[in-house]
């Protein structure tokens, strides 16, 4: 066992983990953060995407010990109390989901995309979330949701500036 | 799927890493970004006794200039590469190929050196390194360093010139600035997929003549390959559709691609000719 100190969604944790424990299993099974799901378990589908020190990663392809000293943000940590994150709100309003299984990863990947490119074209959105698969093939509304969030987040940023 | 148990070392310097590798027992795996190694371990295709994780070795990360060369630290991530101003100026071929690697989340973790040391013939960066005549700087037990040219680095499928106890430290590539055109032409069918075939081309023009041409082929054999016949046909030739098309027709010479569910070998050879034509035309500004 190896001790890790990690901040997850704003709270600090100190835990013993086996080196082989994957980050997604640590989040779900030791911390109960079941909002982050395991999809394909082969680094393909992106359902388990979280932010590690502010960058999107597939948490099934990172070891929990590698998060030692780092800040992890999951889908459970992006809302402000009862106020949804603009990306969550946009997925809700544009119906950017069908079965909903890919949604946590889609939202985390999309937030990362807008951080690097606040006003992406439709093509850039599709490229930006290429690591996230919607098995229902509901991409049209997912892309619309990201476009709506991009508009809202950039106008909010503009208002603050 | 969970990997088999292993001992874990997380060094913070190259010296510590070499010591951890030496002390790791019979079966040590060096983990760079882990984006190939962790999936392979989860599938239990690899079950190393010890994993030496390089993600905290800061001295291995970053890009610097050294005279006419760019020196890329082995642990520089794909995302670092795509944001790096020196790469943007002198390493456009590397940037074009890196942009096509996997997806953004994988590129946040995956590294330039890790992709090269993994030496998957379907990986995008080995053919680029070969086309650029990259030099691989390798540290051995005790810290002694040696340099291996790309042509000698890629030995076979998933096999490089790296010996037990050694560590890939940095990769030196020539700066390609003014006058060089580049194109990485990749063929695959779905998002984030490996290359079925890809071609890395860089061409330097002098007026209406091709002065230099370097062409690397991805997934056309058990290692990345140079399209030597095409390069020879291009150098000194006029920049015209006819000469480029005639040269590209030789792109499959000497290749031995595999057949799999994505493509038969003869189709891969067809793709190599077509993609070489496209890549060279774009790199030559046609």
């Amino acid at each position: 066992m190896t001790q890790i100190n990690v901040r997850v969604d704003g709270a600090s944790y100190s835990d013993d983990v086996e080196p082989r424990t994957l980050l997604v299993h640590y989040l779900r099974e030791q911390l109960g953060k079941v909002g982050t799901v395991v999809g394909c378990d082969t680094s393909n589908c992106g359902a388990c995407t979280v932010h590690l020190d502010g960058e999107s990663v597939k948490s099934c392809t990172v070891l929990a010990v590698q998060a030692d000293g780092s800040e992890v943000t999951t889908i459970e940590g992006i809302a402000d109390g009862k106020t949804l994150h603009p990306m969550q709100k946009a997925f809700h309003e544009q119906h950017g989901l069908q079965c909903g299984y890919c949604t946590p990863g889609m939202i985390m990947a999309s937030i990362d995309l807008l951080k690097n490119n606040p006003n992406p074209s439709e093509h850039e959105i599709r490229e930006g979330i290429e690591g996230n698969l919607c098995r229902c093939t509901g991409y049209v509304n997912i892309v619309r949701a990201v476009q709506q969030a991009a508009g809202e987040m950039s106008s909010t940023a503009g208002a603050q500036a | 799927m969970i990997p088999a148990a292993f001992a874990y070392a997380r060094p913070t310097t190259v010296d510590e890493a070499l010591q951890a590798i030496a002390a790791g027992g019979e079966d040590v795996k060096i983990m760079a970004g882990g984006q190939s190694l962790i999936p392979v371990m989860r599938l239990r295709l690899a079950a190393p006794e010890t994993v030496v994780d390089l993600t905290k070795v800061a001295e291995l990360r970053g890009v610097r200039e050294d005279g006419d060369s760019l020196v890329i630290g082995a642990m520089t991530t794909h995302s670092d590469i795509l944001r790096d101003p020196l790469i943007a100026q002198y390493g456009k071929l590397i940037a074009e190929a890196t942009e096509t690697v996997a997806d953004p989340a994988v590129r946040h973790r995956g590294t330039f050196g890790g992709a090269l040391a993994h030496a998957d013939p379907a990986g995008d960066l080995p053919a680029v390194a070969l086309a650029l005549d990259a030099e691989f700087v390798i540290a051995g037990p005790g810290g002694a360093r040696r340099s291996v040219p790309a042509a000698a680095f890629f030995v076979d499928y998933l096999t490089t010139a790296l010996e037990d106890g050694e560590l890939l430290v940095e990769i030196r590539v020539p700066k390609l600035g003014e006058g060089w055109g580049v194109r990485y032409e990749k063929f695959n069918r779905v998002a984030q997929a490996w290359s079925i075939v890809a071609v890395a081309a860089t061409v330097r023009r002098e007026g209406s003549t091709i002065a230099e041409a370097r062409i690397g082929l991805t997934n056309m054999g058990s290692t990345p390959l140079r399209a030597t016949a095409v390069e020879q046909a291009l150098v000194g030739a006029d920049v015209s559709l006819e000469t480029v098309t005639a040269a590209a027709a030789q792109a499959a010479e000497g290749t031995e691609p595999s057949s799999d569910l994505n493509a038969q070998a003869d189709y891969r050879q067809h793709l190599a000719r077509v993609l070489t034509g496209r890549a060279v035309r774009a790199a030559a500004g046609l």
Side-chain angles (χ1 to χ4, degrees):
Chain A
M1 293 293 227
T2 305
Q3 194 188 50
I4 61 169
N5 297 294
V6 58
R7 278 181 72 78
V8 181
D9 296 336
S12 295
Y13 299 89
S14 185
D15 278 306
D16 288 330
V17 295
E18 271 194 280
R20 63 175 174 161
T21 303
L22 304 173
L23 179 58
V24 68
H25 291 142
Y26 171 69
L27 293 173
R28 288 177 59 84
E29 290 161 24
Q30 274 183 259
L31 303 190
K33 296 263 176 189
V34 293
T36 301
V37 294
V38 179
C40 66
D41 210 11
T42 59
S43 311
N44 202 239
C45 78
C48 64
T49 303
V50 301
H51 295 175
L52 181 60
D53 292 327
E55 292 193 320
S56 63
V57 300
K58 294 182 175 182
S59 63
C60 75
T61 311
V62 176
L63 303 173
V65 285
Q66 295 184 300
D68 181 33
S70 290
E71 176 100 32
V72 177
T73 306
T74 77
I75 187 71
E76 298 184 33
I78 58 172
D80 181 7
K82 287 193 184 299
T83 307
L84 294 178
H85 185 281
M87 190 66 73
Q88 290 174 302
K89 179 169 162 279
F91 269 70
H92 175 67
E93 291 176 358
Q94 294 295 330
H95 196 61
L97 65 149
Q98 289 182 30
C99 82
Y101 204 82
C102 71
T103 312
M106 282 286 181
I107 288 175
M108 298 311 285
S110 299
I111 292 171
D112 185 81
L113 166 67
L114 294 190
K115 189 188 73 184
N116 298 309
N117 181 0
N119 292 296
S121 65
E122 181 188 337
H123 178 76
E124 288 168 336
I125 293 170
R126 289 178 182 273
E127 293 270 310
I129 58 172
E130 74 166 315
N132 295 72
L133 304 181
C134 168
R135 304 290 189 193
C136 311
T137 71
Y139 294 104
V140 170
N141 286 357
I142 289 170
V143 171
R144 281 187 192 139
V146 179
Q147 287 169 322
Q148 175 183 319
E152 287 186 12
M153 289 164 73
S154 59
S155 65
T156 310
Q160 285 169 349
Chain B
M1 293 177 286
I2 298 169
F6 53 84
Y8 177 74
R10 196 175 200 188
T12 57
T13 66
V14 169
D15 286 344
E16 281 177 20
L18 289 167
Q19 287 165 21
I21 294 163
E26 283 289 299
D27 188 8
V28 182
K29 267 288 179 193
I30 300 168
M31 182 181 289
Q35 301 300 286
S36 294
L37 182 57
I38 293 176
V40 161
M41 288 169 59
R42 279 191 328 222
L43 293 166
R44 305 277 176 118
L45 296 172
E49 182 182 343
T50 303
V51 170
V52 178
D53 178 359
L54 300 181
T55 47
K56 287 288 186 198
V57 184
E59 66 190 280
L60 291 178
R61 192 166 173 182
V63 182
R64 62 185 168 87
E65 284 178 284
D66 183 11
D68 294 333
S69 299
L70 286 182
V71 184
I72 304 172
M75 285 300 291
T76 307
T77 67
H78 301 311
S79 300
D80 293 342
I81 292 272
L82 293 174
R83 285 193 286 252
D84 191 274
L86 289 170
I87 294 287
Q89 192 171 359
Y90 299 116
K92 290 195 179 77
L93 184 61
I94 293 170
E96 273 204 16
T98 300
E99 244 179 353
T100 75
V101 172
D103 59 66
V106 170
R107 292 196 292 268
H108 285 147
R109 301 289 294 173
T111 65
F112 188 67
L116 294 171
H118 185 50
D120 189 322
D124 297 293
L125 298 168
V128 170
L130 187 66
L132 294 175
D133 286 324
E135 286 281 327
F136 291 73
V137 180
I138 295 168
R145 300 208 172 184
R146 67 185 180 110
S147 182
V148 176
F153 184 76
F154 299 105
V155 174
D156 201 349
Y157 181 73
L158 306 183
T159 307
T160 69
L162 286 162
E163 303 280 353
D164 285 350
E166 288 188 327
L167 180 66
L168 176 60
V169 175
E170 61 194 22
I171 302 93
R172 303 174 71 94
V173 295
K175 286 190 206 166
L176 301 184
E178 286 293 299
W180 286 92
V182 304
R183 176 59 66 96
Y184 189 69
E185 194 73 28
K186 175 167 174 169
F187 186 83
N188 61 10
R189 296 190 305 171
V190 295
Q192 59 169 306
W194 297 91
S195 288
I196 295 173
V197 175
V199 177
T202 178
V203 171
R204 186 171 65 82
R205 280 176 64 156
E206 284 178 2
S208 61
T209 305
I210 294 176
E212 291 181 74
R214 299 146 168 261
I215 296 158
L217 304 176
T218 296
N219 215 11
M220 288 299 292
S222 59
T223 65
L225 298 172
R226 282 287 278 268
T228 313
V230 182
E231 293 176 357
Q232 286 169 353
L234 286 172
V235 173
D238 287 342
V239 179
S240 73
L241 279 178
E242 291 73 27
T243 51
V244 170
T245 305
Q250 302 176 61
E253 275 187 20
T255 64
E256 289 182 21
S258 59
S259 291
D260 58 30
L261 78 164
N262 285 312
Q264 296 296 307
D266 60 344
Y267 178 56
R268 281 203 161 88
Q269 293 191 319
H270 167 75
L271 284 173
R273 291 187 284 267
V274 171
L275 299 174
T276 298
R278 288 181 192 167
V280 173
R281 284 199 299 274
L286 276 169

